[in-house]
Amino acid sequence: MMIWLDIKETARNKRFLLFTLIFPLAWYVMMISMAKASGFFTTANAYLWLSAACAIGIAGNAVVTFSKKISHTRKFYQLQAQTSNYSVRRWLMDQMAVQLSLNLVICVVIIAAGLLMQSLVFNLNIVIMLVLFSLMGIYLSAIGFLLGIYIDSRTLDALSMPLSMVFGMLMIRLDTWLSGTVIEVITVVQKFFPGYYLFDIVQKMILKQNFNDTLLRFLLSCLLIVIPFMIIMIVQHQKFAASLSVDEVSND
């Protein structure tokens, strides 16, 4: 019930609808329309543009919208954990379930547009891409959660657009379309993030090449966030437990 209410609340958020759903969808439709009108449309580009559009939408949702939500509500749920059986751990799990659902909606909407425009064909590749997008969404949601814990709401409001652009760019493999010294430097940085390997996997799927090594690198890059995330969560749990002990002593 709590998960469904959170999904409905987020769906009513105009910022979520504009920046994480409408904008990447409009960008994808524009790219496909321009390619078909200009005569340079290819199936490979359609799948790569799909990956870029989904990456933009997921980054906006997981890093920007989610971080602001965590920053706004964390004190409330910490208080609720003190007065009910709804623990902080359960709150975190529910929030991740909400993010998985919302990221899936973003991807499905963009894929549906591609199918309607006959630029995509629903097959096993689409299913694999949905799974990979979901994993990347968990990775970005973990980053969004940490930003929400340590940065206040006003600062996040001011950083919304820069954060969305930075993480969207990091998740999109720019050397697929561009070249130059700056792109080479950005590509070196991108290799530390899963988006780089996701694009490589998509390209190899389209060309029917083996992508097991790239998939392993993608998974390892996703796991890199687990270590700092677990350390920070343990520290936060200890602080929360200490505050509970102080409250109990003062009540006695």
Side-chain angles (χ1 to χ4, degrees):
M1 185 64 178
M2 184 69 69
I3 294 174
W4 175 241
L5 290 175
D6 276 348
I7 292 173
K8 288 178 64 177
E9 182 181 354
T10 304
R12 295 192 188 101
N13 187 326
K14 294 180 180 179
R15 190 184 297 270
F16 168 79
L17 293 174
L18 179 61
F19 290 105
T20 67
L21 193 59
I22 296 175
F23 175 74
L25 175 62
W27 181 84
Y28 180 73
V29 171
M30 180 187 69
M31 294 300 294
I32 295 297
S33 300
M34 289 175 57
K36 288 187 174 182
S38 303
F40 65 88
F41 172 82
T42 64
T43 302
N45 282 338
Y47 278 91
L48 291 175
W49 290 331
L50 170 66
S51 301
C54 290
I56 292 170
I58 291 173
N61 175 53
V63 176
V64 179
T65 305
F66 187 47
S67 64
K68 290 175 64 177
K69 180 180 178 181
I70 294 299
S71 182
H72 278 296
T73 60
R74 61 187 173 86
K75 290 183 179 179
F76 168 75
Y77 283 105
Q78 286 174 347
L79 177 62
Q80 190 176 40
Q82 294 179 358
T83 58
S84 70
N85 293 326
Y86 193 73
S87 65
V88 174
R89 181 179 298 177
R90 184 180 172 187
W91 170 58
L92 175 59
M93 296 301 294
D94 285 349
Q95 292 303 312
M96 285 299 181
V98 170
Q99 289 306 298
L100 275 172
S101 302
L102 293 173
N103 291 336
L104 186 62
V105 168
I106 293 169
C107 294
V108 168
V109 168
I110 298 172
I111 289 171
L115 294 173
L116 290 173
M117 297 178 72
Q118 298 183 341
S119 60
L120 301 173
V121 177
F122 187 81
N123 51 28
L124 182 60
N125 289 344
I126 295 291
V127 177
I128 294 174
M129 289 173 69
L130 280 173
V131 174
L132 295 177
F133 288 143
S134 297
L135 291 174
M136 190 173 71
I138 294 174
Y139 170 89
L140 290 171
S141 295
I143 294 176
F145 183 84
L146 297 180
L147 290 173
I149 290 292
Y150 287 102
I151 302 178
D152 62 88
S153 300
R154 291 183 179 180
T155 304
L156 287 172
D157 283 333
L159 293 176
S160 291
M161 184 58 70
L163 283 173
S164 181
M165 292 178 63
V166 168
F167 281 97
M169 185 179 69
L170 288 174
M171 294 301 115
I172 298 173
R173 188 168 172 178
L174 299 177
D175 65 345
T176 305
W177 301 289
L178 304 173
S179 60
T181 304
V182 175
I183 299 300
E184 290 176 1
V185 173
I186 294 174
T187 299
V188 172
V189 177
Q190 286 181 319
K191 289 182 180 181
F192 292 95
F193 297 88
Y196 177 90
Y197 304 103
L198 177 59
F199 272 70
D200 201 19
I201 292 172
V202 172
Q203 284 184 311
K204 289 182 177 179
M205 281 197 304
I206 296 168
L207 298 174
K208 297 182 180 180
Q209 298 176 351
N210 186 286
F211 56 83
N212 290 338
D213 290 343
T214 309
L215 178 61
L216 179 60
R217 293 176 184 176
F218 171 82
L219 295 174
L220 288 175
S221 65
C222 288
L223 288 174
L224 284 176
I225 194 63
V226 173
I227 298 174
F229 183 79
M230 291 303 297
I231 292 173
I232 292 172
M233 286 305 301
I234 291 172
V235 172
Q236 287 293 314
H237 180 73
Q238 290 175 345
K239 288 182 178 179
F240 181 65
S243 66
L244 281 178
S245 300
V246 171
D247 291 340
E248 289 175 358
V249 171
S250 60
N251 290 333
D252 292 340

